Amino acid sequence: MKKSLKRIILAISISALAFLSLAGCGKSGLDSGNSEDSKVETKKPKDIKVGASLSTLSNPFFVSVKKGINNLAKKNGTKVQISDAQNDTAKQNNDVEDLITKKVDVLIINPVDSSAITPAVKDANEAGIPVITVDRSSDGGKVLSLVASNSTKGGKMAAKFLIDKLGANAKVAELQGIPGASATRERGKGFDKYAKGKLDIVAKQTASFDRAKGLSTTENILQGNSDIVGIFSQNDEMALGAVQAVKATNKNITIVGFDGEEDGIKAVKSGKMSATVAQQPEEMGRLALQAAYNYFDGKTVKKNIESPLKLVTTESLNK
């Protein structure tokens, strides 16, 4: 379905909803962007239709987010439709428009790009559908709640580990995520701020949260910076790519990832990676859906719901 046609259908749907509202047939939805709005129509979990758009299901982290949503939904009889944006901003916006047209009661979105998702979030706002974001925020539109780890704090944890492990002024590189994604900005901000004056960051390049790009980007960095002794990767997928690149050089380089996904934890346990800042993606999915339940139950929903973080090291896993 072409975008223009979708917008026409969406406009018709919005007009119909407005008419019903005037006639006294109010629809549950987001009128002011918070759960304290007295106009929210209460609904039981089994009566809520949930639409979810995840950035990519090629990454095990987001497969775990999906699992967290589905497990809680199954327990409560909630209908859920989940789409895979395949790290494509245009596809994600189209997916969200489809879910709006299908009149879901709530949207759970893990944006590919925090800026590019803004038009879709605003369309959801116009349709009266509350939006809950996961892991990454939206730069625009009204979001009921963001469920995420404190990425800035996590970046700081990674920097502190490298300083403790390698000593002051060690030469390190930083693999960055998708440009524009809030996780990229915040993990980088936390790392760079804490490392300033303590580590020598000789290279910072994006590998778009992708394992294959993590491999090729690290190869390029190592060719120009043979004296690097540490790498901070803003997610485990890129870190695992870096592991392959470092292995080919036979160098001893300390690699720290972020996420705590299954493959990342295995690499830390075996010593291929030294540490990862572990999130709990399944818990993120569960918290997002629970926030939707709370909203339709008339309870207060926090604008920011923090999911727990912990630093996992080779030593801690092999105690």
Side-chain angles (χ1 to χ4, degrees):
M1 188 181 291
K2 293 184 177 179
K3 179 83 173 177
S4 57
L5 179 57
K6 289 177 184 173
R7 287 189 175 276
I8 292 171
I9 294 173
L10 178 60
I12 293 171
S13 299
I14 293 170
S15 298
L17 289 173
F19 174 80
L20 289 172
S21 178
L22 288 171
C25 300
K27 177 187 182 301
S28 54
L30 184 69
D31 293 315
S32 66
N34 66 63
S35 61
E36 296 175 355
D37 196 312
S38 60
K39 296 179 181 177
V40 175
E41 178 185 333
T42 57
K43 286 193 172 192
K44 294 180 179 178
K46 68 181 180 60
D47 298 324
I48 299 171
K49 289 190 296 182
V50 178
S53 171
L54 302 181
S55 60
T56 173
L57 291 178
S58 296
N59 185 328
F61 181 87
F62 298 110
V63 173
S64 294
V65 172
K66 178 183 177 182
K67 185 178 178 183
I69 295 171
N70 280 338
N71 284 350
L72 185 58
K74 185 178 180 181
K75 183 179 178 181
N76 291 287
T78 306
K79 296 181 181 64
V80 181
Q81 181 176 340
I82 298 179
S83 58
D84 175 6
Q86 299 172 14
N87 269 336
D88 183 326
T89 56
K91 182 180 186 308
Q92 181 163 51
N93 282 13
N94 284 337
D95 289 343
V96 173
E97 296 290 353
D98 281 341
L99 292 168
I100 292 171
T101 302
K102 291 176 181 175
K103 300 179 181 177
V104 296
D105 294 302
V106 60
L107 280 162
I108 296 174
I109 302 176
N110 156 241
V112 174
D113 182 289
S114 300
S115 176
I117 196 64
T118 295
V121 172
K122 288 183 176 178
D123 284 345
N125 294 158
E126 289 177 13
I129 299 173
V131 176
I132 296 168
T133 52
V134 178
D135 191 43
R136 305 165 188 166
S137 65
S138 170
D139 287 349
K142 292 181 181 177
V143 172
L144 176 66
S145 184
L146 165 65
V147 180
S149 303
N150 187 326
S151 288
T152 304
K153 185 189 295 182
K156 177 181 175 181
M157 291 165 70
K160 185 176 186 306
F161 175 81
L162 283 173
I163 294 165
D164 292 343
K165 185 87 173 177
L166 303 173
N169 300 315
K171 293 184 183 297
V172 301
E174 184 176 350
L175 292 177
Q176 300 172 309
I178 295 172
S182 59
T184 300
R185 295 196 300 264
E186 292 163 11
R187 293 172 190 182
K189 177 183 175 183
F191 182 80
D192 294 348
K193 186 175 181 180
Y194 193 81
K196 187 176 182 180
K198 304 182 186 79
L199 291 172
D200 184 5
I201 304 174
V202 298
K204 286 197 281 188
Q205 291 186 28
T206 180
S208 299
F209 291 135
D210 180 84
R211 189 182 301 197
K213 292 179 181 176
L215 167 61
S216 59
T217 303
T218 303
E219 287 174 339
N220 291 335
I221 290 174
L222 292 177
Q223 286 175 5
N225 303 276
S226 59
D227 52 352
I228 283 175
V229 293
I231 295 174
F232 167 53
S233 169
Q234 291 180 358
N235 80 342
D236 284 346
E237 284 295 294
M238 297 188 296
L240 291 165
V243 166
Q244 295 179 58
V246 169
K247 184 179 179 181
T249 67
N250 290 319
K251 290 179 178 296
N252 182 20
I253 296 178
T254 299
I255 301 173
V256 181
F258 202 118
D259 282 342
E261 66 176 56
E262 185 176 351
D263 286 351
I265 293 293
K266 286 179 181 176
V268 172
K269 187 174 177 63
S270 68
K272 293 176 182 175
M273 286 167 52
S274 296
T276 182
V277 180
Q279 303 188 81
Q280 296 186 33
E282 190 171 331
E283 177 68 1
M284 278 187 188
R286 191 195 71 78
L287 288 171
L289 184 54
Q290 185 60 53
Y293 289 163
N294 290 345
Y295 176 75
F296 285 105
D297 195 27
K299 296 177 180 174
T300 298
V301 178
K302 293 181 179 178
K303 295 296 288 183
N304 292 283
I305 299 173
E306 192 167 317
S307 184
L309 276 176
K310 65 176 179 179
L311 185 74
V312 176
T313 67
T314 302
E315 290 74 18
S316 67
L317 288 177
N318 290 299
K319 276 184 178 177

